[in-house]
């Protein structure tokens, strides 16, 4: 029911090498290495940090995260005073909401019951409501037998994990029915992108065959650019469900809880941390720690990554502590891929805070010997906890045999999909509208001077000024023969744990004005030599450096992709950078600048020609726009034309590594092109779907 994320394994790089591996620190003392097909690898199988080239970027990001985890621990240990804890809770809630772009404004629910199904011991009402105007939410409200449990009833919102069928999934239905059988009204909600709420329909208005995690991340791709997060819709929908429950006379509005598993555990954690109306909460198979997460399965899909939260100091334990001392149960599995050690660590940290309120028993942990899933013992423990803290009863709860409703019985909408309702809008429509609104605001605002725009870009994309970037340590290795060219091998060490391999070819032709070109291609430095392009440039008198920026060529992550091919090989690395409040665009732009500054100085020129392609085109454009004094010319090949196109394209392709959070509030890519004027040229521009732009 849950899509495992990308996690790059350590591979034996030596099996892929053609001949020699040049160790870092070697000196060119051997004759040129013949390599008619591809150059020899310049990085060793194991880097000094213990990383392999393919895990280098990931491991560097994880080390940066580790420093924040250590800082989190110091801050946590110092926060003992109740007044400080209260201020911390308020600050975290404010920061969370701000980082997802705020919550949708209140809107009329326009709730209606579209049908009723009776079962032995409970009744199911099929509820359709709007969490935003014409943004429809489908839910099943399981009501107890009034003869056995007279209303008004306490209620619990049940949020689903990553099951494509949403509320129809057997385990989630059974947990909801179990609550009703024990005297709680239980409302199970289809998350955005699941069940009746798929946000992309294909031919004949049929849902496309993509997993919920992929659909959530496609939503998140465009959302990032406007400063939003997929979690924004999920939280807004769950809060609308609470609004609906509180509007009913047969529900106790002061006794509402929330529970859910996996992705539903994520939603429960968010809702319980942000909504003071949630009296009791039971997230299952989610709570761990980011340290454990990054060391095991890696980052998750879009709604589980809040911008900059690791740097801010917002870990899984904080979701528990943000609601202290309200009743909270952590349900987990011994063999879950959400690491059990992290769950126990979060529980211990939260327990100490709850004790400071004198409510240590209000936070509990249930561990069962099972893998990931909402297994019967976890469902029973969650419902028992809800009965105790919502209904005030200590009761034995059993998991009886429940026959789940079929789609025909449980579907709220006539055709089983909300987007088939007249006038329905999708999350993608919201993103597109917000991007349009931001474009109009930028166009109508007082124009920024070039320097003011550069400063905005630098701040938004987190790109340091050239003067603040470290000088690289450059290792010269053995020469490599590619065709008739003798290439000098170089390795740039940047910041202690990033190594960028490169090949340098100098022309022997006399030059009236020396031309130096830096080539940064998404397919790696080897592709620079295809079609004899480097040979032609060298014969025309140019000096050419072909370099692998981080995450391409020799340092391209290998193994399973982050969710699937659609998000590129660097999707996982991009997600970790996002959690750190950074972007791969900014990090790669700094690579461009550090390498170019060295190259210009080494070759005795003021400016260098740049060529960048694919996912490296956007970082190169940023670097050139910020420090045009280094750039003679810039050619962008197969690059994205605009971020606005990404925001307007639900089925984007390999755009995740090229995102900058909230960028469209400040600028779009054409604004950077304008800063460079006639020094920039685009070749074969691509759409957000990675198709050629058609004039």
């Amino acid at each position: 029911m849950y899509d495992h994320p990308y996690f790059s394994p350590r591979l034996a790089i030596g099996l892929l090498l053609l001949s020699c591996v040049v160790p870092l620190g070697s000196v060119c003392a051997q004759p040129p290495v013949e390599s008619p097909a591809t150059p020899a690898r310049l990085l060793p199988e194991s880097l000094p940090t213990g990383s392999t080239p393919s895990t280098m970027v990931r491991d560097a990001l994880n080390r940066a995260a580790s420093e924040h985890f250590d800082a989190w621990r110091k801050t946590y240990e110092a926060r003992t005073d109740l007044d400080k804890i209260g201020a911390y809770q308020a600050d975290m809630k404010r920061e969370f909401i701000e980082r997802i772009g705020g919550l949708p404004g209140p809107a009329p629910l326009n709730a209606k019951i579209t049908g009723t199904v009776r079962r032995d011991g409970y009744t199911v009402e099929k509820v359709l409501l709007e969490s935003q105007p014409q943004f429809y939410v489908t839910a099943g409200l399981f009501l107890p037998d009034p003869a056995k449990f007279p209303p008004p009833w306490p209620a619990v919102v049940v949020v689903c994990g990553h099951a494509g069928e949403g509320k129809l999934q057997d385990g989630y239905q059974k947990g909801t029915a179990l609550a009703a059988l024990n005297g709680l009204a239980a409302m199970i909600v289809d998350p955005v992108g699941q069940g009746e709420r798929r946000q992309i329909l294909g031919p004949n208005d049929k849902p496309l065959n993509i997993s919920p995690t992929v659909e959530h991340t496609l939503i998140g791709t465009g959302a990032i650019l406007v400063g939003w997060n997929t979690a924004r819709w999920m939280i807004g929908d769950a809060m609308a469900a609470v609004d609906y429950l509180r509007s009913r006379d047969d529900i106790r509005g002061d006794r509402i809880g929330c529970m859910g598993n996996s992705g539903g555990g994520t939603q429960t954690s968010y809702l319980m941390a942000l909504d003071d109306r949630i009296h009791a909460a039971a997230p299952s198979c989610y709570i761990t720690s980011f340290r454990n997460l990054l060391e095991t399965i890696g980052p998750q899909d879009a709604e589980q990554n809040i911008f900059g939260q690791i740097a801010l100091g917002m870990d899984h334990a904080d979701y528990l502590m943000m609601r202290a001392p309200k009743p909270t149960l952590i349900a987990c599995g011994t063999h879950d891929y959400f690491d059990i050690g992290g769950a126990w660590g979060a529980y211990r940290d939260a327990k100490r805070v709850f004790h400071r309120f004198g409510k240590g028993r209000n936070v509990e942990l249930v561990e069962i010997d099972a893998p990931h899933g909402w297994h019967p013992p976890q469902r029973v423990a969650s419902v028992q906890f809800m009965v105790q803290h919502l209904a005030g009863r200590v009761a034995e709860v059993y998991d009886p045999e429940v026959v789940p409703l079929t789609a025909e019985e449980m579907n709220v909408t006539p055709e089983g999909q909300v987007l088939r309702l007249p006038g329905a809008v999708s999350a993608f429509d919201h993103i597109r509208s917000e991007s349009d609104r931001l474009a109009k605001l930028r166009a109508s605002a007082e124009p920024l001077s070039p320097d003011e725009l550069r400063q905005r870009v630098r701040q938004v994309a987190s790109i340091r000024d050239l003067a603040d970037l470290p000088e690289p340590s450059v290792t010269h290795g053995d020469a490599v023969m590619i065709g008739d060219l003798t290439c000098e091998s170089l390795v740039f060490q940047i910041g202690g744990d990033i190594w960028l391999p490169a090949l340098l070819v100098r022309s022997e032709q006399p030059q009236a004005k020396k031309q130096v070109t830096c080539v940064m291609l998404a397919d790696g430095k080897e592709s620079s030599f295809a079609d004899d392009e480097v040979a032609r440039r060298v014969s025309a008198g140019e000096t050419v450096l072909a370099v692998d920026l981080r995450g391409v060529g020799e340092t391209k992550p290998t193994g399973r992709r982050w969710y699937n091919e659609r998000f590129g090989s660097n999707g996982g690395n991009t997600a970790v950078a996002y959690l750190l409040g950074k972007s791969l665009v900014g990090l790669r732009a700094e690579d461009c600048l550090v390498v170019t500054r060295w190259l210009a100085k080494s070759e005795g020129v003021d400016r260098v020609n740049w060529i960048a392609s694919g996912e490296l085109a956007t970082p190169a454009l940023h670097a050139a726009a910020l420090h045009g004094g280094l750039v003679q010319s810039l050619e962008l090949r197969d690059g994205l034309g605009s971020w606005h196109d990404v925001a307007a394209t639900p089925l984007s392709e390999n755009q995740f590594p090229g995102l900058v959070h909230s960028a469209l509030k400040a600028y779009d890519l054409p604004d950077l092109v304008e800063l460079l004027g006639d020094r920039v040229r685009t070749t074969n521009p691509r759409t957000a779907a990675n198709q050629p732009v058609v004039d």
Side-chain angles (χ1 to χ4, degrees):
M1 73 178 70
Y2 194 87
D3 217 2
H4 289 271
Y6 160 81
F7 177 67
S8 176
R10 296 178 181 271
L11 298 178
I13 299 297
L15 296 176
L16 304 176
L17 307 187
L18 290 172
S19 53
C20 70
V21 174
V22 180
L24 296 180
S26 66
V27 178
C28 183
Q30 303 295 323
V33 178
E34 289 286 347
S35 182
T38 59
R41 295 282 179 147
L42 307 183
L43 298 179
E45 294 181 33
S46 179
L47 297 168
T49 55
S51 301
T52 66
S54 69
T55 64
M56 178 194 75
V57 178
R58 183 199 72 195
D59 293 347
L61 290 166
N62 286 357
R63 277 188 287 274
S66 183
E67 295 179 6
H68 290 295
F69 300 146
D70 293 342
W72 183 97
R73 175 58 56 189
K74 292 179 181 178
T75 302
Y76 165 84
E77 295 293 348
R79 192 192 305 120
T80 58
D81 183 86
L82 284 182
D83 288 339
K84 290 183 178 179
I85 293 173
Y88 142 83
Q89 290 175 321
D91 287 345
M92 283 289 146
K93 291 177 183 179
R94 176 182 52 78
E95 285 282 358
F96 189 110
I97 292 172
E98 182 179 317
R99 287 162 188 258
I100 64 170
L103 294 171
L109 294 175
N110 295 325
K112 62 182 69 175
I113 297 170
T114 66
T116 302
V117 179
R118 302 193 183 280
R119 282 286 193 267
D120 187 19
Y122 58 93
T123 299
V124 181
E125 293 182 353
K126 300 187 284 188
V127 181
L128 180 70
L129 57 85
E130 299 174 36
S131 62
Q132 299 179 61
Q134 295 183 290
F135 187 66
Y136 293 103
V137 178
T138 46
L141 178 57
F142 288 57
L143 298 173
D145 180 351
K148 186 174 181 181
F149 301 100
W153 301 289
V156 58
V157 176
V158 182
V159 279
C160 300
H162 292 93
E165 61 267 43
K167 65 184 182 303
L168 279 175
Q169 202 269 347
D170 281 8
Y172 300 150
Q173 275 201 59
K174 289 178 178 178
T176 310
L178 182 64
L181 289 168
N182 283 275
L184 304 177
M187 189 173 186
I188 185 170
V189 180
D190 272 333
V192 64
Q194 295 171 239
E196 295 183 77
R197 302 187 65 211
R198 302 297 287 269
Q199 300 294 289
I200 308 175
L201 299 182
N204 302 317
D205 285 341
K206 299 290 186 182
L208 296 182
N209 186 27
I210 56 178
S211 72
T213 49
V214 169
E215 188 160 328
H216 293 167
T217 305
L218 285 170
I219 294 171
T221 296
I224 284 173
L225 290 169
V226 298
W228 293 353
N229 185 286
T230 306
R232 182 178 188 267
W233 286 272
M234 294 179 170
I235 296 166
D237 296 342
M239 286 183 171
V242 175
D243 290 338
Y244 174 72
L245 291 173
R246 285 167 58 91
S247 73
R248 292 179 58 124
D249 293 336
D250 55 357
I251 301 294
R252 283 195 60 183
D254 63 335
R255 283 294 182 268
I256 294 179
C258 184
M259 61 184 186
N261 180 73
S262 187
T266 307
Q267 295 172 65
T268 301
S269 298
Y270 292 169
L271 190 65
M272 73 185 191
L274 299 176
D275 194 331
D276 291 336
R277 300 173 300 177
I278 300 300
H279 181 71
S284 175
C285 286
Y286 169 67
I287 293 292
T288 181
S289 75
F290 275 115
R291 187 189 293 272
N292 291 67
L293 195 69
L294 298 186
E295 290 176 352
T296 54
I297 58 175
Q300 302 300 285
D301 60 325
E303 76 273 13
Q304 301 188 50
N305 306 314
I306 307 304
F307 178 64
Q309 69 179 110
I310 288 179
L312 172 66
M314 184 189 295
D315 212 325
H316 285 206
D318 292 278
Y319 302 141
L320 307 169
M321 296 185 294
M322 284 161 68
R323 65 179 273 100
K326 292 184 178 180
T328 309
L329 172 71
I330 306 165
C332 47
T334 306
H335 309 292
D336 194 352
Y337 45 76
F338 282 93
D339 186 70
I340 188 66
W344 275 101
Y347 168 68
R348 290 184 61 206
D349 288 332
K351 190 81 165 179
R352 293 169 62 190
V353 172
F354 275 67
H355 270 301
R356 291 185 180 119
F357 285 96
K359 299 284 187 179
R361 292 186 177 183
N362 271 10
V363 62
E364 299 181 19
L365 183 145
V366 171
E367 176 184 350
I368 69 167
D369 189 14
H372 190 80
W374 211 26
H375 304 285
Q378 293 157 313
R379 299 198 298 259
V380 167
S382 297
V383 171
Q384 192 169 36
F385 188 81
M386 293 295 159
V387 170
Q388 176 185 351
H389 290 283
L390 297 179
R393 292 184 282 110
V394 177
E396 291 292 332
V397 174
Y398 301 97
D399 196 39
E401 185 63 33
V402 172
V403 178
L405 276 68
T406 64
E408 182 178 358
E409 292 175 308
M410 199 167 188
N411 276 352
V412 176
T413 59
E415 298 181 67
Q417 287 297 323
V418 294
L419 290 187
R420 295 178 188 162
L421 295 174
V425 297
S426 71
F428 293 104
D429 293 325
H430 290 158
I431 296 167
R432 185 185 303 110
S433 296
E434 179 66 3
S435 179
D436 289 342
R437 186 185 74 85
L438 293 175
K440 291 177 182 177
L441 284 177
R442 294 196 308 273
S444 62
E446 184 176 342
L448 298 175
S449 70
D451 285 343
E452 288 173 331
L453 177 57
R454 290 187 183 99
Q455 185 60 25
R456 290 284 299 277
V457 172
R458 184 174 288 109
Q459 291 173 346
V460 173
S462 296
I463 301 172
R464 290 173 288 178
D465 188 79
L466 184 61
D468 298 325
L469 295 175
E471 292 288 343
S473 173
V474 183
T475 300
H476 298 258
D478 293 338
V480 176
M481 285 295 297
I482 305 177
D484 295 329
L485 297 175
T486 301
C487 305
E488 180 182 356
S489 61
L490 305 171
V491 175
F492 296 86
Q493 184 181 0
I494 298 175
D497 55 6
I498 294 294
W499 286 269
L500 308 179
L503 293 166
L504 178 66
V505 189
R506 291 187 176 89
S507 174
E508 297 179 358
Q509 301 294 327
Q511 304 172 56
K513 184 177 181 181
K514 191 171 186 179
Q515 293 291 316
V516 179
T517 300
C518 184
V519 184
M520 302 162 283
L521 302 186
D523 290 334
K525 62 187 180 302
E526 290 89 347
S527 63
S528 305
F529 294 86
D531 301 324
D532 295 323
E533 178 178 4
V534 172
R536 292 195 302 272
R537 290 181 175 276
V538 171
S539 65
E542 292 184 38
T543 294
V544 178
L545 178 79
V547 61
D548 288 340
L549 301 188
R550 68 183 75 195
V552 303
E554 291 188 47
T555 63
K556 178 180 179 179
T558 56
R560 182 171 180 169
R561 298 295 176 87
W562 187 66
Y563 288 107
N564 71 6
E565 298 283 332
R566 185 177 293 278
F567 304 109
S569 58
N570 278 285
N573 291 335
T574 304
V576 181
Y578 187 78
L579 286 164
L580 291 169
K582 298 180 180 294
S583 68
L584 202 56
V585 169
L587 295 171
R588 285 170 162 174
E590 292 185 352
D591 290 345
C592 294
L593 294 171
V594 168
V595 169
T596 301
R597 181 178 59 186
W598 177 90
L599 181 61
K601 183 177 180 180
S602 174
E603 298 302 311
V605 298
D606 294 326
R607 294 185 174 187
V608 174
N609 301 301
W610 286 6
I611 300 172
S613 74
E615 66 182 65
L616 299 186
T618 296
L621 177 59
H622 276 73
L626 292 179
H627 291 283
L630 278 176
V631 183
Q632 182 72 29
S633 67
L634 171 62
E635 181 184 352
L636 301 174
R637 300 176 180 174
D638 304 307
L640 177 69
S642 76
W643 279 328
H644 184 79
D645 185 33
V646 176
T649 304
L651 288 171
S652 60
E653 191 79 37
N654 194 28
Q655 300 304 326
F656 203 70
L659 302 178
V660 171
H661 185 74
S662 289
L664 288 176
K665 293 182 179 180
Y667 67 100
D668 199 352
L669 300 181
D671 298 318
L672 304 185
V673 171
E674 188 175 342
L675 282 175
L676 290 164
D678 59 6
R679 283 183 291 163
V680 63
R681 178 166 65 95
T682 60
T683 305
N684 301 322
R686 312 291 284 186
T687 68
N690 202 23
Q691 298 298 314
V693 172
V694 178
D695 294 331

